[in-house]
Amino acid sequence: MADDKKNSDTQESVEQQSTPIQCLLRRKGGTKVTFGHNLVNQKTYHFKPLDSSDENSPHVCNVDNEEHADRLLSIRESYRLYRGDASYVDKIEVTKGAAIDEDAFTNRFDDILSIDFDTAENDTVKDWAKETLELTPSHSAKIREKAASLDVEEKKGDNMNELLRKIGKAMQEEERAANDQASKGK
């Protein structure tokens, strides 16, 4: 029984172990990285200087999720395992763009190939259709007309959002074909 408790405690300490990771980008106030889209399950890591009075102090955060640690460490230009060593790293100070808000990373739909119509949220598809096609899901006749012009097949049960997704995919195929044609012409 005592062995069971000891094994349980050891297992808990292994599960709760965290990985110290250093962010090579040095932003004033540190760098915050958030994983997850659902607010309930989001996890934010704050990489900040170990010694706030030393401008050369490494920006470190203990990452307690193994998948998150693996993902960060896969970005070799920005993150590395922190071992407490004093090995030299050029200071990569980020000043331009450090104050950019989340809207800066919102797709403005100028590159149709950057949109994944299979996994995009319905609101994203609606926004794309409104901005690019100047249509909303309430324009069912115009959406069907656009679908027909692209040889998109409407199946029984397709709502307008689903039809807009199919239109988007067809437009992506046209874009890829145009890119391939242009590449061959060079």
Side-chain angles (χ1 to χ4, degrees):
M1 181 111 149
D3 287 339
D4 289 340
K5 174 144 177 53
K6 185 177 178 183
N7 288 340
S8 171
D9 290 343
T10 304
Q11 188 174 4
E12 278 183 38
S13 68
V14 168
E15 288 174 5
Q16 294 177 358
Q17 249 180 355
S18 61
T19 305
I21 296 179
Q22 178 180 0
C23 179
L24 302 176
L25 304 172
R26 295 187 187 164
R27 294 180 172 96
K28 185 175 182 176
T31 300
K32 290 184 180 180
V33 179
T34 302
F35 285 89
H37 297 289
N38 184 339
L39 289 176
V40 176
N41 297 328
Q42 278 186 345
K43 176 70 176 179
T44 300
Y45 300 101
H46 189 181
F47 294 86
K48 51 189 174 185
L50 291 175
D51 179 359
S52 59
S53 65
D54 179 8
E55 71 175 33
N56 292 318
S57 178
H59 289 216
V60 177
C61 181
N62 288 318
V63 178
D64 56 7
N65 182 303
E66 187 178 340
E67 289 176 1
H68 296 171
D70 289 345
R71 176 66 183 118
L72 289 167
L73 292 171
S74 73
I75 308 169
R76 294 174 161 226
E77 305 83 23
S78 301
Y79 300 95
R80 72 176 184 172
L81 193 59
Y82 180 72
R83 294 188 176 97
D85 58 4
S87 62
Y88 180 76
V89 175
D90 282 335
K91 182 177 179 181
I92 305 172
E93 189 163 344
V94 179
T95 52
K96 261 190 174 176
I100 293 176
D101 62 4
E102 284 297 314
D103 290 339
F105 300 100
T106 303
N107 192 335
R108 299 286 184 233
F109 311 121
D110 55 348
D111 178 14
I112 193 166
L113 297 178
S114 69
I115 304 167
D116 184 351
F117 285 99
D118 289 323
T119 61
E121 298 284 334
N122 283 339
D123 288 340
T124 302
V125 174
K126 286 180 199 175
D127 292 344
W128 167 80
K130 185 176 182 181
E131 186 175 317
T132 307
L133 305 174
E134 297 178 355
L135 295 173
T136 64
S138 63
H139 296 118
S140 58
K142 290 183 180 180
I143 291 172
R144 286 187 174 98
E145 185 179 305
K146 181 67 176 175
S149 75
L150 293 167
D151 295 326
V152 171
E153 181 183 340
E154 180 180 3
K155 293 184 179 174
K156 186 177 180 177
D158 281 350
N159 61 32
M160 290 303 110
N161 270 333
E162 196 56 41
L163 201 51
L164 286 170
R165 287 176 192 279
K166 290 180 179 182
I167 290 170
K169 289 179 189 178
M171 290 176 69
Q172 285 177 328
E173 288 304 314
E174 284 185 346
E175 181 73 17
R176 285 186 187 100
N179 286 344
D180 289 346
Q181 188 66 29
S183 295
K184 290 177 184 176
K186 287 185 177 181

